[in-house]
Amino acid sequence: MEHDLRKSNMRYCIPRLRTQAPVCAGTILLVTACAPRALAPPATTSQEALAVGDGEREQRFVDSVLAGMTLEEKAGQLNQVSGLGEPTGPGGTPAGLEQIRSGAVGSFLNIVGADTVTRLQRIAVEQSRTHIPLLFGLDVIHGFRTIFPVPLAEASSWDPAAVQRSARIAATEAAAQGINWTFAPMVDIARDPRWGRIVEGSGEDTYLGAVMAAARVRGFQGSDLRDPATIAATAKHFAAYGAAEGGRDYNIADIPERTLRDVYLPPFHAAVCAGAQTLMAAFNEIDGVPAHANRHLLTDVLRGEWHFGGAVVSDWTGIGELINHGVGGDSASVARLALEAGVDIDMVSEIYRKQLPSLVRAGSIPQQTLDEAARRVLRLKYRLGLFQKPYRVGDAARVRAVTLSAEHRAAAREVARESIVLLKNDGNILPLSKELRTLAVIGSLAADSDAANGNWQALGRGEDAVSVLTGIRRAVSPGTRIVYAPGASPVDGDTTKIAAAVRVARDADAVVLVLGESPSQSAEAASRASIELPGAQLRLAEAIVATRKPVVVVLMNGRPLALQWLHDNVPAILETWFLGVEQGTATADVLFGDYNPGGRLTASFPRVTGQVPMYYNHVRTGRPASPDNKYTSKYLDAPWTPLYPFGHGLSYTSFRYGTPRLSGTTMRPGDSITVEVDVTNAGKVAGDEVVQLYLHDEVGSVTRPVLELRGFRRVRLTPGETRRIAFRIDVNDLAFHDATLARVAEPGSFTVFLGGSSVDTQQLRFRFETTDGHSIRVPGRCDAAR
């Protein structure tokens, strides 16, 4: 039955500990009985009573709020509107203040600034009938004002602690400006680099993606959601958005459920295990069912199997787009489909606000379904402490102290350096000397500080970022002359500036050639049919190489590129991605040897676009590729292997692996096996090695991948230093979903691969044995990151 309290004062109460007298949230003074709410900030609610993690008190409080709400107010809690900011799709009208006063808005996105947030929050808390605080969300993807490397770059650090630290800093800056919710991390596995949003995730591997997903959630949310320096995280896009057919954004994902569960879902499960408060539904469909209407995913799997208690938010107009999908004919039908599937919050389409009350009154949707969605939104606000402290913003002094601070820039520089991958270094041309007479820096991206920040810049500014050109100028000796020419741009085919660039190169001792993509050429709605160098950049590279000067290519890009010509003709290639505010500083650190690169690829680089999708952990075929047999799985006009494989990355030093050892050759349920290897820095400079552990199930009831990452360690070694690296393998590392979709481990032989990339390994074998020789069930567990 609808609770209509329009003629009474709204109130909600929290039972106090060790007393029977309740405390009213939002009263001016603590009292021993419930009194009408005053129009004042709810700053006196018992801290103890609002303890996060106490499910019973949380539930009682949320239910007390819900009990006094009208249908319109409940639907309003599910309504998210866009204020200031750049939209990512059609639709989305900023809300008027009267909507806030009437309880028709539950959350905003794209509104930033302590003063603005406080003003709107004050209207909700002090002038609306329910006095329920607002949520303020923003796409804080890889930094807020201090911009860190794009997520694909950060993943290339193989350093989850660094990734967590960057998310923590981003949360601190965003929270000071009134943001309490981010639509990150994106945890989609991406095997096709034509898809532009590969830049927002961690690449092609499930295990690494799960580790990074958990790290980012912990970074954004910290250890206590009530801490005003934390923000709620959103794992997106649920699910399989990265499997867009043809790499074309918003396209369908045509994948079987076993692949969904083994490849695409584990990073989401890891995010849920790490405490992610919200998930975002995906734009795509799976097996004919759009994600925004997929009850199997959003309710059966997410809430049933994983026991997720948080909220699900739609993507931008995702509910309304169910009409375009063809599964609903009008707004009322898609509102019912999405709500009953498990989508709690309607981002900008306002379909829930307009349709749900009448649908409930007509009996088309049970009120319990609407109540449960509103309950999840209220629960999130409770956990963030907004009912107690709705004005979670920093004062002017705090905003200045935490925004783009020297400490934050130093952290951004460190993560940026760790994210750089040395793809090629023939003849040890790198590092360059700082004492060169003349160094040419060529390429329009070299001077583009705005490009350094990449896409999804939040409040990042180009003037905050150090361009590659500026970073080089700051790093070289005073006597070195730096000459610059733009040469060519990634966004057009203009060749008129190439001749001038060639003249500059001829007068130099060496050339740093900066090539790649504009940030607009990756991320959302930025799929590319060809992932070769865009614009006239290949023409520029050919002309510069023809000068016969030593050339180092620095790449700035948001996806793997097809670089066969560069690989064949340029001695050194440095993958820097979009590194954020310290792009130029970090790049110069590596170019001149102040930092030894240790990043490794998390996505395979193809030789030509026609090879994609390409990923290292593919399953076996009946005719595996062989150069000696035409009738095997390969191409006539290109190799079947990647140009640069998953896990690849070079160093200015060399590492020597000892003989790996297993603690046993047989493992049984409940047991584990340890694999150890000694790694030595055999070179003359300190450096980081990423030790990688892979497994292969030799015989399965269904086809199994040729390799699967199951562990990694990034270790820094001084010259001559040896470190023993150990990994523990247990039954969870052997598990997969069989033909019945049961998660099992099957008895048989397993190969262990240990080394510095997916193609540079040593091998060991062990057997997994069960009592009766049959497979065993393996429930999922919440410890993806070891």
Side-chain angles (χ1 to χ4, degrees):
M1 179 179 179
E2 180 184 357
H3 297 278
D4 190 349
L5 300 181
R6 288 187 176 96
K7 297 181 180 179
S8 67
N9 288 313
M10 181 68 179
R11 62 181 183 175
Y12 37 84
C13 305
I14 310 170
R16 290 185 78 173
L17 296 181
R18 295 181 296 278
T19 177
Q20 298 303 311
V23 176
C24 293
T27 53
I28 296 177
L29 298 174
L30 283 178
V31 294
T32 57
C34 278
R37 287 182 53 95
L39 297 182
T44 54
T45 304
S46 165
Q47 178 83 7
E48 192 173 21
L50 283 175
V52 173
D54 190 315
E56 182 181 348
R57 274 194 296 277
E58 173 186 282
Q59 191 66 30
R60 251 185 284 175
F61 174 76
V62 168
D63 285 346
S64 74
V65 177
L66 192 67
M69 298 173 67
T70 67
L71 290 179
E72 283 74 16
E73 288 163 346
K74 293 172 184 176
Q77 286 301 303
L78 314 186
N79 185 35
Q80 182 176 99
V81 294
S82 178
L84 305 177
E86 181 182 359
T88 60
T93 303
L97 299 184
E98 190 52 41
Q99 279 188 277
I100 302 175
R101 292 188 182 98
S102 66
V105 178
S107 57
F108 278 96
L109 73 160
N110 296 329
I111 285 183
V112 182
D115 292 342
T116 302
V117 167
T118 298
R119 179 172 62 89
L120 298 182
Q121 191 72 286
R122 196 171 297 280
I123 294 171
V125 172
E126 301 182 15
Q127 299 178 30
S128 73
R129 193 188 72 85
T130 61
H131 308 282
I132 296 173
L134 297 162
L135 290 166
F136 292 90
L138 186 72
D139 286 290
V140 182
I141 307 298
H142 57 106
F144 180 73
R145 179 71 184 279
T146 304
I147 304 301
F148 284 79
V150 292
L152 184 63
E154 281 194 334
S156 300
S157 72
W158 293 62
D159 186 349
V163 170
Q164 180 172 335
R165 185 167 63 252
S166 73
R168 181 88 292 279
I169 289 171
T172 300
E173 293 189 355
Q177 296 271 19
I179 299 302
N180 47 43
W181 184 15
T182 178
F183 305 114
M186 194 198 87
V187 302
D188 297 300
I189 298 302
R191 292 173 158 184
D192 190 333
R194 292 174 297 181
W195 187 55
R197 301 195 78 166
I198 189 173
V199 68
E200 297 176 53
S202 295
E204 70 190 39
D205 183 70
T206 301
Y207 179 89
L208 183 74
V211 172
M212 295 304 179
R216 290 191 170 102
V217 169
R218 289 192 295 265
F220 287 130
Q221 297 190 170
S223 58
D224 184 353
L225 279 170
R226 295 167 303 177
D227 185 333
T230 64
I231 56 180
T234 305
K236 66 183 187 184
H237 307 81
F238 196 66
Y241 184 36
E245 195 172 76
R248 198 170 76 247
D249 209 356
Y250 315 121
N251 206 1
I252 68 169
D254 189 11
I255 54 176
E257 181 153 355
R258 193 166 59 79
T259 302
L260 178 71
R261 288 180 175 269
D262 279 343
V263 176
Y264 294 96
L265 292 189
F268 289 97
H269 187 231
V272 169
C273 290
Q277 292 297 302
T278 64
L279 267 70
M280 181 182 288
F283 282 121
N284 57 280
E285 68 163 60
I286 300 173
D287 195 23
V289 183
H292 285 76
N294 197 321
R295 182 175 176 82
H296 172 61
L297 271 179
L298 299 178
T299 297
D300 298 342
V301 174
L302 180 60
R303 295 181 170 119
E305 296 179 24
W306 298 357
H307 308 293
F308 176 65
V312 173
V313 61
S314 82
D315 209 332
W316 186 280
T317 66
I319 294 173
E321 289 170 23
L322 291 175
I323 297 174
N324 294 338
H325 277 285
V327 296
D330 54 31
S331 294
S333 61
V334 297
R336 181 182 58 80
L337 279 172
L339 189 70
E340 292 184 343
V343 179
D344 302 307
I345 299 171
D346 175 8
M347 182 185 285
V348 309
S349 76
E350 296 203 86
I351 287 176
Y352 275 3
R353 179 181 69 82
K354 296 174 181 178
Q355 299 294 334
L356 291 183
S358 59
L359 287 170
V360 172
R361 288 191 177 97
S364 299
I365 296 176
Q367 181 174 325
Q368 180 182 355
T369 304
L370 173 59
D371 285 355
E372 188 54 40
R375 184 177 285 113
R376 293 184 186 115
V377 177
L378 295 173
R379 189 182 296 144
L380 175 59
K381 295 178 179 184
Y382 176 97
R383 291 174 178 176
L384 285 166
L386 291 175
F387 285 102
Q388 181 193 19
K389 294 182 179 180
Y391 311 117
R392 286 181 23 146
V393 298
D395 57 24
R398 174 163 176 75
V399 170
R400 286 194 302 269
V402 303
T403 302
L404 201 67
S405 67
E407 179 185 358
H408 290 180
R409 292 201 71 128
R413 179 178 183 176
E414 183 60 27
V415 178
R417 299 196 303 184
E418 287 193 14
S419 303
I420 294 173
V421 183
L422 181 59
L423 298 178
K424 183 182 180 184
N425 193 24
D426 286 359
N428 293 322
I429 187 173
L430 288 176
L432 295 172
S433 170
K434 294 182 180 180
E435 309 291 337
L436 293 171
R437 180 181 60 85
T438 302
L439 177 64
V441 180
I442 295 174
S444 64
L445 288 169
D448 191 344
S449 60
D450 190 62
N453 283 335
N455 29 59
W456 296 110
Q457 297 185 16
L459 264 65
R461 301 175 183 176
E463 60 265 31
D464 295 336
V466 180
S467 70
V468 172
L469 178 60
T470 298
I472 289 173
R473 282 176 169 157
R474 291 176 179 175
V476 297
S477 298
T480 298
R481 186 168 68 101
I482 302 297
V483 290
Y484 167 71
S489 165
V491 297
D492 59 52
D494 182 10
T495 61
T496 60
K497 299 177 182 178
I498 292 179
V502 169
R503 290 193 294 271
V504 166
R506 284 176 177 156
D507 291 337
D509 300 309
V511 177
V512 174
L513 181 58
V514 184
L515 305 172
E517 297 177 304
S518 161
S520 64
Q521 292 172 312
S522 61
E524 186 170 357
S527 299
R528 294 181 56 202
S530 167
I531 58 171
E532 274 73 20
L533 282 172
Q537 292 180 106
L538 185 57
R539 295 272 300 275
L540 172 65
E542 292 169 343
I544 298 302
V545 169
T547 67
R548 297 188 175 275
K549 296 289 183 174
V551 176
V552 174
V553 166
V554 170
L555 295 171
M556 293 175 63
N557 47 294
R559 57 161 55 84
L561 298 173
L563 303 170
Q564 186 69 63
W565 189 91
L566 288 180
H567 176 80
D568 292 342
N569 293 278
V570 174
I573 304 175
L574 199 63
E575 175 59 89
T576 72
W577 317 102
F578 301 120
L579 294 177
V581 292
E582 295 295 335
Q583 169 92 46
T585 313
T587 301
D589 287 341
V590 172
L591 282 173
F592 298 107
D594 294 324
Y595 187 85
N596 188 353
R600 302 292 185 268
L601 295 179
T602 63
S604 304
F605 274 49
R607 299 172 187 272
V608 294
T609 302
Q611 289 181 298
V612 302
M614 168 169 279
Y615 46 94
Y616 84 95
N617 51 350
H618 57 85
V619 298
R620 293 176 291 183
T621 75
R623 294 186 177 187
S626 169
D628 303 319
N629 186 346
K630 175 182 178 180
Y631 297 99
T632 57
S633 182
K634 59 181 186 292
Y635 300 101
L636 290 175
D637 53 352
W640 68 85
T641 56
L643 181 62
Y644 302 118
F646 178 86
H648 171 73
L650 305 177
S651 172
Y652 295 155
T653 189
S654 60
F655 298 98
R656 183 175 62 247
Y657 281 72
T659 302
R661 301 169 298 279
L662 286 173
S663 60
T665 57
T666 302
M667 188 173 79
R668 294 179 175 82
D671 294 344
S672 64
I673 282 180
T674 299
V675 55
E676 295 181 340
V677 67
D678 292 337
V679 181
T680 302
N681 183 341
K684 297 180 179 180
V685 296
D688 290 6
E689 172 67 330
V690 179
V691 185
Q692 301 163 41
L693 171 73
Y694 300 87
L695 290 183
H696 170 58
D697 186 350
E698 296 180 9
V699 177
S701 60
V702 295
T703 55
R704 303 291 295 122
V706 295
L707 286 177
E708 291 182 288
L709 184 69
R710 285 295 179 261
F712 61 87
R713 297 283 190 282
R714 179 165 179 155
V715 292
R716 176 168 289 273
L717 298 173
T718 58
E721 181 183 2
T722 297
R723 186 87 57 86
R724 181 162 296 174
I725 307 300
F727 298 96
R728 184 176 64 85
I729 302 169
D730 64 23
V731 68
N732 199 70
D733 297 305
L734 316 183
F736 64 97
H737 289 84
D738 66 12
T740 69
L741 297 182
R743 191 169 188 266
V744 301
E746 296 179 343
S749 296
F750 291 80
T751 305
V752 179
F753 299 81
L754 200 62
S757 81
S758 60
V759 298
D760 182 15
T761 59
Q762 300 182 72
Q763 301 178 26
L764 298 165
R765 296 177 79 235
F766 69 91
R767 284 192 57 80
F768 175 62
E769 297 181 353
T770 61
T771 303
D772 59 4
H774 297 300
S775 63
I776 63 167
R777 291 289 188 104
V778 182
R781 70 185 189 192
C782 283
D783 62 348
R786 300 183 184 180

Coordinates of all heavy atoms in Angstrom, one line a residue, residues 657 659-661 674-680 689-693 711-717 722-728 754:
Y657 N 66.7 -16.1 -15.4 CA 65.8 -17.0 -14.6 C 66.6 -18.3 -14.3 O 67.2 -18.9 -15.2 CB 64.6 -17.3 -15.4 CG 63.5 -16.2 -15.4 CD1 63.7 -15.0 -16.1 CD2 62.4 -16.3 -14.6 CE1 62.8 -14.0 -16.1 CE2 61.4 -15.3 -14.6 CZ 61.6 -14.2 -15.3 OH 60.7 -13.2 -15.3
T659 N 66.4 -22.3 -12.7 CA 65.5 -23.4 -13.0 C 64.3 -23.4 -12.0 O 64.5 -23.4 -10.8 CB 66.2 -24.7 -12.9 OG1 67.3 -24.7 -13.8 CG2 65.3 -25.9 -13.2
P660 N 63.1 -23.3 -12.5 CA 61.9 -23.3 -11.6 C 61.7 -24.6 -10.9 O 62.1 -25.7 -11.4 CB 60.8 -22.9 -12.5 CG 61.2 -23.4 -13.9 CD 62.7 -23.2 -13.9
R661 N 61.1 -24.6 -9.7 CA 60.9 -25.8 -8.9 C 59.5 -25.8 -8.4 O 58.9 -24.8 -8.0 CB 61.8 -25.8 -7.7 CG 63.3 -25.7 -8.1 CD 64.2 -25.5 -6.8 NE 63.9 -24.2 -6.2 CZ 64.4 -23.0 -6.7 NH1 65.2 -23.0 -7.7 NH2 64.1 -21.9 -6.1
T674 N 53.4 -25.1 -4.6 CA 54.2 -23.8 -4.8 C 55.2 -24.0 -5.9 O 55.9 -25.0 -6.0 CB 54.9 -23.5 -3.4 OG1 53.9 -23.4 -2.4 CG2 55.7 -22.3 -3.5
V675 N 55.3 -23.0 -6.7 CA 56.3 -22.9 -7.7 C 57.2 -21.8 -7.4 O 56.8 -20.7 -7.1 CB 55.7 -22.8 -9.1 CG1 54.8 -21.6 -9.3 CG2 56.8 -22.8 -10.2
E676 N 58.5 -22.0 -7.5 CA 59.5 -21.0 -7.1 C 60.5 -20.9 -8.3 O 60.8 -21.9 -9.0 CB 60.3 -21.4 -5.9 CG 59.5 -21.4 -4.6 CD 60.3 -21.8 -3.4 OE1 61.4 -22.4 -3.6 OE2 59.9 -21.5 -2.3
V677 N 61.1 -19.7 -8.4 CA 62.1 -19.5 -9.4 C 63.0 -18.3 -8.9 O 62.5 -17.4 -8.2 CB 61.5 -19.1 -10.8 CG1 60.8 -17.8 -10.8 CG2 62.6 -19.2 -11.8
D678 N 64.3 -18.4 -9.1 CA 65.2 -17.4 -8.8 C 65.4 -16.5 -10.0 O 65.7 -16.9 -11.1 CB 66.6 -17.9 -8.3 CG 66.5 -18.7 -7.0 OD1 65.6 -18.4 -6.2 OD2 67.4 -19.5 -6.8
V679 N 65.2 -15.2 -9.8 CA 65.4 -14.2 -10.8 C 66.5 -13.3 -10.5 O 66.6 -12.7 -9.4 CB 64.1 -13.4 -11.1 CG1 64.3 -12.4 -12.2 CG2 62.9 -14.3 -11.3
T680 N 67.5 -13.1 -11.4 CA 68.7 -12.3 -11.2 C 68.8 -11.1 -12.2 O 68.5 -11.3 -13.4 CB 69.9 -13.2 -11.3 OG1 69.9 -14.2 -10.4 CG2 71.2 -12.3 -11.1
E689 N 61.5 -6.3 -13.2 CA 61.0 -7.5 -14.0 C 59.6 -7.8 -13.5 O 59.3 -7.8 -12.3 CB 62.0 -8.7 -13.8 CG 61.5 -10.0 -14.4 CD 61.5 -9.9 -16.0 OE1 61.3 -8.9 -16.5 OE2 61.6 -11.0 -16.6
V690 N 58.8 -8.2 -14.5 CA 57.5 -8.7 -14.1 C 57.5 -10.2 -14.4 O 57.5 -10.7 -15.5 CB 56.4 -8.0 -15.0 CG1 55.0 -8.6 -14.7 CG2 56.4 -6.5 -14.8
V691 N 57.5 -11.0 -13.3 CA 57.5 -12.4 -13.4 C 56.1 -12.9 -13.5 O 55.2 -12.6 -12.7 CB 58.2 -13.0 -12.1 CG1 58.3 -14.5 -12.2 CG2 59.5 -12.4 -11.8
Q692 N 55.9 -13.7 -14.5 CA 54.5 -14.1 -14.9 C 54.3 -15.6 -14.8 O 55.2 -16.4 -15.3 CB 54.2 -13.6 -16.3 CG 54.3 -12.1 -16.5 CD 54.4 -11.6 -17.9 OE1 53.7 -12.1 -18.8 NE2 55.3 -10.6 -18.1
L693 N 53.2 -16.0 -14.2 CA 52.9 -17.4 -14.1 C 51.6 -17.7 -14.9 O 50.6 -17.1 -14.8 CB 52.6 -17.7 -12.6 CG 52.0 -19.1 -12.3 CD1 53.1 -20.2 -12.5 CD2 51.4 -19.2 -10.9
G711 N 49.1 -15.6 -12.1 CA 49.9 -14.9 -11.1 C 50.9 -14.0 -11.7 O 51.4 -14.3 -12.8
F712 N 51.4 -13.0 -11.0 CA 52.5 -12.1 -11.5 C 53.0 -11.4 -10.3 O 52.4 -11.2 -9.3 CB 52.0 -11.2 -12.6 CG 50.9 -10.2 -12.1 CD1 51.3 -9.0 -11.5 CD2 49.6 -10.5 -12.4 CE1 50.3 -8.1 -11.2 CE2 48.6 -9.6 -12.0 CZ 48.9 -8.4 -11.4
R713 N 54.3 -11.0 -10.4 CA 55.0 -10.2 -9.4 C 55.9 -9.1 -10.2 O 56.7 -9.5 -11.0 CB 55.9 -11.0 -8.5 CG 55.2 -12.0 -7.7 CD 54.5 -11.3 -6.5 NE 54.1 -12.4 -5.5 CZ 53.0 -13.1 -5.7 NH1 52.2 -13.0 -6.8 NH2 52.6 -14.0 -4.8
R714 N 55.7 -7.9 -9.9 CA 56.7 -6.9 -10.4 C 57.7 -6.7 -9.3 O 57.4 -6.3 -8.2 CB 56.0 -5.6 -10.7 CG 56.9 -4.5 -11.2 CD 56.2 -3.4 -11.9 NE 57.2 -2.4 -12.4 CZ 57.0 -1.5 -13.4 NH1 55.9 -1.6 -14.0 NH2 58.0 -0.6 -13.7
V715 N 59.0 -6.9 -9.6 CA 60.0 -6.8 -8.6 C 61.2 -5.9 -9.1 O 61.5 -6.0 -10.3 CB 60.6 -8.2 -8.3 CG1 59.6 -9.0 -7.5 CG2 61.1 -9.0 -9.5
R716 N 61.7 -5.1 -8.3 CA 62.9 -4.3 -8.6 C 64.1 -4.9 -8.1 O 64.2 -5.3 -6.9 CB 62.7 -2.9 -8.0 CG 63.9 -2.0 -8.2 CD 63.6 -0.5 -7.8 NE 62.7 0.1 -8.8 CZ 63.1 0.7 -9.9 NH1 64.4 0.8 -10.2 NH2 62.2 1.2 -10.7
L717 N 65.1 -5.1 -9.0 CA 66.4 -5.7 -8.7 C 67.5 -4.8 -9.0 O 67.6 -4.2 -10.1 CB 66.5 -7.0 -9.5 CG 65.4 -8.1 -9.2 CD1 65.6 -9.3 -10.2 CD2 65.5 -8.6 -7.8
T722 N 69.7 -11.2 -6.7 CA 68.8 -12.3 -7.0 C 67.6 -12.3 -6.0 O 67.8 -12.2 -4.8 CB 69.6 -13.6 -6.9 OG1 70.6 -13.6 -7.9 CG2 68.7 -14.8 -7.2
R723 N 66.4 -12.6 -6.5 CA 65.3 -12.7 -5.7 C 64.5 -14.0 -6.0 O 64.3 -14.3 -7.2 CB 64.3 -11.5 -6.0 CG 63.1 -11.4 -5.0 CD 63.5 -10.6 -3.8 NE 64.0 -9.2 -4.1 CZ 63.2 -8.2 -4.3 NH1 61.9 -8.3 -4.2 NH2 63.7 -7.0 -4.5
R724 N 64.1 -14.7 -4.9 CA 63.3 -15.9 -5.1 C 61.9 -15.5 -5.2 O 61.3 -14.9 -4.2 CB 63.6 -16.9 -4.0 CG 62.8 -18.2 -4.2 CD 63.4 -19.3 -3.3 NE 64.8 -19.6 -3.8 CZ 65.6 -20.4 -3.2 NH1 65.3 -21.0 -2.1 NH2 66.8 -20.7 -3.7
I725 N 61.2 -15.8 -6.2 CA 59.8 -15.5 -6.4 C 59.0 -16.8 -6.3 O 59.3 -17.8 -6.9 CB 59.5 -14.9 -7.8 CG1 60.5 -13.7 -8.0 CG2 58.1 -14.4 -7.9 CD1 60.3 -12.6 -7.0
A726 N 57.9 -16.8 -5.5 CA 57.1 -17.9 -5.3 C 55.6 -17.7 -5.6 O 55.1 -16.6 -5.3 CB 57.3 -18.4 -3.8
F727 N 55.0 -18.6 -6.2 CA 53.5 -18.6 -6.4 C 52.9 -19.8 -5.9 O 53.5 -20.9 -5.9 CB 53.2 -18.5 -7.9 CG 53.8 -17.3 -8.6 CD1 55.0 -17.4 -9.3 CD2 53.1 -16.1 -8.6 CE1 55.5 -16.3 -9.9 CE2 53.6 -15.0 -9.3 CZ 54.8 -15.1 -9.9
R728 N 51.7 -19.7 -5.3 CA 50.9 -20.8 -4.8 C 49.8 -21.1 -5.8 O 49.0 -20.2 -6.1 CB 50.4 -20.5 -3.4 CG 49.7 -21.7 -2.8 CD 49.3 -21.4 -1.4 NE 48.3 -20.3 -1.3 CZ 47.0 -20.5 -1.5 NH1 46.5 -21.7 -1.7 NH2 46.2 -19.5 -1.4
L754 N 56.5 -20.3 -16.7 CA 57.0 -19.2 -15.8 C 58.0 -18.4 -16.6 O 59.0 -19.0 -17.1 CB 57.6 -19.8 -14.5 CG 57.8 -19.0 -13.3 CD1 56.5 -18.5 -12.8 CD2 58.5 -19.7 -12.2

